[in-house]
Amino acid sequence: MIDCLFCRIIKNEIPAKSIYEDEKVLAFEDINPQAPVHTIIIPKRHVTSLKETETGDKDLLGHLLLAAKKIAEDRGLGESGFRLVINTGPDSGQEVCHLHVHLLGGRRLGWPPG
Ligand code: 5GP
Ligand code: ZN
């Protein structure tokens, strides 16, 4: 298995502030938050990026989005709103090669992104 930072967080080899977990996904606080709420939601199974997903992953992808929505509501963002980001590939700035959803909220977010 490749040495993957987020797989190491799943295996508790690297500490992270976990805020949600179920059989398929784990969510934890971003180490360098860009908003009052900045949570990372990942599949427990290693997937390099959205680019590597296929039709057979649609349950997992739906699960990730529904988990993100639940966490956003639990964090009080249901009314104020929030943003989900899935960086994919070099132009996006993806740094960690394990599929992840950023949940950002708690402040007004600019658009378009930089
Ligand atoms: P990307 O740029 O790949 O979309 O996002 C990776 C995110 O992971 C970044 O927002 C970064 O701050 C976060 N991150 C990187 N290393 C760690 C870590 O060791 N722990 C946690 N909790 N987040 C990390
Ligand atoms: Zn991984």
Side-chain angles (χ1 to χ4, degrees), residues 5-6 9 14-16 28-32 38 40 87 93-96 100 102:
L5 178 67
F6 286 173
I9 287 178
I14 294 175
F28 52 88
E29 304 291 13
D30 196 290
I31 204 169
N32 182 23
H38 187 172
I40 301 286
N87 289 325
Q94 181 182 6
E95 287 181 351
V96 179
H100 53 281
H102 294 257

Side-chain angles (χ1 to χ4, degrees), residues 20-63:
Y20 174 83
E21 181 172 9
D22 63 31
E23 74 281 9
K24 286 188 174 143
V25 308
L26 175 68
F28 52 88
E29 304 291 13
D30 196 290
I31 204 169
N32 182 23
Q34 301 301 311
V37 174
H38 187 172
T39 298
I40 301 286
I41 304 107
I42 63 173
K44 287 185 170 176
R45 169 166 68 84
H46 180 86
V47 179
T48 303
S49 82
L50 191 64
K51 185 167 170 282
E52 278 70 39
T53 60
E54 48 195 36
T55 309
D57 296 313
K58 66 183 174 186
D59 280 354
L60 178 63
L61 293 171
H63 199 98

